[in-house]
Amino acid sequence: MPTFPLRRVGAGLGAATATALAIVATTPLGVAAAPSPTHTAAARDAATWLAGEYVDGVLPGPFTPEDWGLSIDGVIALAATGVAGSTRQAATAQIAAHVRSYNSYDDWGIEGFTDGGATAKLLYVASAAGADPTDFGGWDLRAETVALLSAAGTGHQRGRITSRTTEATGPDPSNTFDQSFAVLGLARSGGAPQETVDFLIQQQCTAGGFRLYPDVDGAPSPSCDTQANATLDVDSTAMAVQALLATDAAGADEAAQRGADWLVAQQRADGSFGGSGPTSGANSNSTGLAGQALAAAGRDAAAARAAEALAALQLTTANGGAAAADAGAIAYASDALTEAVADGIADTFRDQWRRATAQALLGLAQVPLGRIGLDVPPSGEPTPSVTVPPTPTASSSPTGSPSPSASPTPTTSLTSSPTPSASPSGTPPTPTTTPTPAASVTSPVAGGSGRLPTTGAAIGGYVLIALLLLGGGVVLLLLGRRRAT
C-alpha cells in the first residue's frame, strides 16, 4: 500500500468492482433513549457557545485561520443539538468549497494524494448536515469513498478504507476511526458494503474492545486477536459501536453489543472515561464519545452517568467565575476547568476548549452518529437542507467521480485573512511514513497543565509547522501564504 504525508484525521476499488459489492440496508439497530431535559439543555448551551466560535463559517486552529477537521466536528455537534442553523449552513458551505483543502495536500503543492479517512468523514458530515453527499461542492463523496476501499480484493485487507497517492509504497496509516467513518458515511448514503463492515469487525478483540490501528510494526495485521497485547481503545470502540449500529450488515449488531459491554466495563466510578496512551486519564473527549455510543446501544444507565460527568466539566453563568462569559463550554479535564474559573479561558487554551466541547456535547445530546440529521433534537431546529454550488478544484482528478473543472469558491465570504490549513509557496513538506493517530492523541499546551485534545483534528499539519519552525522555515511559511479563492 502507498506511503503518505502526515495524516489529517483520520487504494481504490474501481467503480465497476464497487458496484458489484453487496450493498446492505441502513436501518439502525440501536435505539437510544431520550436524554434528560437537563442534559439536553446542557448540550444546547455547549453547541450555542461553539457556534459563537465560528468566524465566517470556519473554526480556527491553533496555527491557522481555519481548521477543517475541527470545523467538521463542530457541524456534527451543532446538527446533533439542532441549534444555530445559519451557522451550520455557512460552515457546511465552507467545508464543501474546501474539500481538497481537507482530504489532500494540494494546498502544499503535493498533488495526487487523497486521504481516505478524511474523505470518509466528509461523506459522513455531508449526510449529517443535510447536503447531497453525491454532489458536495461538486464531489461525489460516496463514489470517492468506495474508490478508496482497499484494492486487496481478498484476504484480511478487503474492504479497508485507504488513501491514494502517486508516491512510493509503504504501510497505510488509516485507522479504526477512519473505518468507522467509512461505514457511517456509506450507510447514510445508500448502504455499506459487507466487506467494509467486516474489516471494521476484524479490529475487535474477543474482549469486546476495538484497537486503534489495524497494522502492527508497519505491516497489516489480520485481526485484533492476532496482535499480541493489543491496546484496546475507548474512543475507537465508541466510534465502531456507532458505525455498526448504523447498518444491518451481517455480524454488525452482535459486534456492537459486545463493544458496548466492553465500554460499560471501562467506565469509572464518576461516570467518566479515558482513552489510551496519552489520553488514558479521564477526559471529556473520550467520555463524550463513549456516552453517545452507550446511549445508541441502549445502555441508558451508563450513558446517563457519562452525561453527569460531562455536565460537571461545563462552564455555567453560576460556576464560571472569570470564565462566566464562556458559559456552555466544556473543559477537557478538571484541571482546565479549575484554571478557567480562576483566570478565564486564555487565548492559548481556547483551541483546547473548542475541541473538547465539540466532542463532549455528543455525550450530553445522546443522538447517535447514525441518526444525526435524521432526528430533530428535542426543542431544536430541523437540520436545514444545504445546497452547495458545484465549484471544486481541478488540481487532482479523483477516481470514481467526475473530474471537477474549476477552483472551489466559498459560498460565504471570508473576512479573517483566510488561508488553507497549509499553503506555502516554495519548498513543499517532506512526506513521512510515520502514521499520526487520528484519535486519542494529545499535544502539550504551552503554559498550562492541560492537554490539547486533537481527536478528529488535522494534527499532521501542526507537526509539520513545528518542524518548519525548528528549521527556520516559518518565514517562508508566512510569506508564502496565499488567499483562498
Side-chain angles (χ1 to χ4, degrees):
M1 279 185 279
T3 292
F4 309 104
L6 288 164
R7 301 258 308 123
R8 287 197 180 277
V9 189
L13 282 172
T17 304
T19 303
L21 291 173
I23 302 297
V24 297
T26 60
T27 304
L29 301 179
V31 179
S36 72
T38 299
H39 293 151
T40 297
R44 288 173 54 76
D45 289 344
T48 299
W49 176 84
L50 188 63
E53 295 294 295
Y54 275 86
V55 179
D56 295 312
V58 178
L59 284 174
F63 300 108
T64 58
E66 61 275 310
D67 186 310
W68 298 114
L70 180 58
S71 296
I72 289 171
D73 291 345
V75 168
I76 295 169
L78 298 184
T81 53
V83 305
S86 60
T87 300
R88 276 183 278 157
Q89 286 182 311
T92 302
Q94 285 283 34
I95 294 163
H98 292 87
V99 165
R100 291 296 290 174
S101 291
Y102 181 57
N103 77 339
S104 80
Y105 287 87
D106 290 356
D107 290 343
W108 283 106
I110 300 177
E111 298 184 1
F113 170 74
T114 300
D115 187 294
T119 302
K121 190 171 181 179
L122 284 165
L123 173 62
Y124 170 75
V125 76
S127 300
D132 180 358
T134 66
D135 185 12
F136 192 65
W139 299 91
D140 186 340
L141 294 174
R142 179 178 173 87
E144 280 289 288
T145 300
V146 170
L148 293 170
L149 297 179
S150 176
T154 59
H156 54 74
Q157 295 298 289
R158 184 174 176 83
R160 178 179 181 175
I161 186 70
T162 59
S163 298
R164 178 176 61 243
T165 184
T166 57
E167 301 300 325
T169 59
D172 190 291
S174 63
N175 59 32
T176 301
F177 254 62
D178 301 330
Q179 194 71 22
S180 296
F181 271 121
V183 171
L184 280 162
L186 291 168
R188 293 287 301 266
S189 62
Q194 182 68 50
E195 292 89 341
T196 306
V197 177
D198 289 342
F199 184 84
L200 179 58
I201 295 174
Q202 286 171 210
Q203 310 319 310
Q204 183 177 38
C205 272
T206 300
F210 287 71
R211 61 181 177 174
L212 177 58
Y213 282 104
D215 299 331
V216 179
D217 297 328
S221 172
S223 69
C224 185
D225 282 327
T226 61
Q227 179 182 354
N229 302 316
T231 299
L232 305 185
D233 181 61
V234 165
D235 298 42
S236 299
T237 302
M239 285 293 299
V241 165
Q242 296 193 69
L244 293 170
L245 288 173
T247 174
D248 65 356
D253 185 59
E254 179 184 357
Q257 299 305 327
R258 290 199 297 116
D261 289 340
W262 183 84
L263 285 174
V264 170
Q266 309 312 306
Q267 192 168 31
R268 305 180 184 205
D270 64 354
S272 68
F273 288 84
S276 61
T279 62
S280 57
N283 67 83
S284 61
N285 285 59
S286 299
T287 304
L289 273 183
Q292 184 187 32
L294 290 169
R299 307 303 197 273
D300 300 337
R305 292 176 57 221
E308 291 291 339
L310 292 166
L313 292 172
Q314 186 172 37
L315 291 170
T316 67
T317 54
N319 74 5
D326 285 299
I330 301 173
Y332 176 66
S334 58
D335 58 348
L337 178 67
T338 300
E339 291 173 7
V341 170
D343 304 320
I345 299 179
D347 289 343
T348 52
F349 286 92
R350 204 157 197 89
D351 182 78
Q352 182 194 65
W353 283 79
R354 295 184 189 114
R355 297 180 192 283
T357 301
Q359 193 160 294
L361 71 81
L362 300 176
L364 291 169
Q366 295 184 5
V367 179
L369 289 173
R371 298 299 306 174
I372 290 177
L374 300 177
D375 300 330
V376 178
S379 302
E381 308 163 8
T383 298
S385 177
V386 178
T387 301
V388 182
T391 55
T393 180
S395 58
S396 180
S397 178
T399 300
S401 63
S403 298
S405 58
S407 177
T409 301
T411 56
T412 55
S413 62
L414 292 177
T415 59
S416 57
S417 186
T419 64
S421 58
S423 59
S425 61
T427 305
T430 302
T432 177
T433 58
T434 304
T436 301
S440 298
V441 178
T442 58
S443 302
V445 177
S449 60
R451 307 287 291 181
L452 171 62
T454 54
T455 305
I459 64 175
Y462 306 160
V463 176
L464 184 55
I465 290 173
L467 293 175
L468 289 171
L469 287 170
L470 291 174
V474 66
V475 175
L476 290 175
L477 174 63
L478 294 175
L479 293 178
R481 279 182 174 172
R482 58 179 174 80
R483 181 174 295 273
T485 57

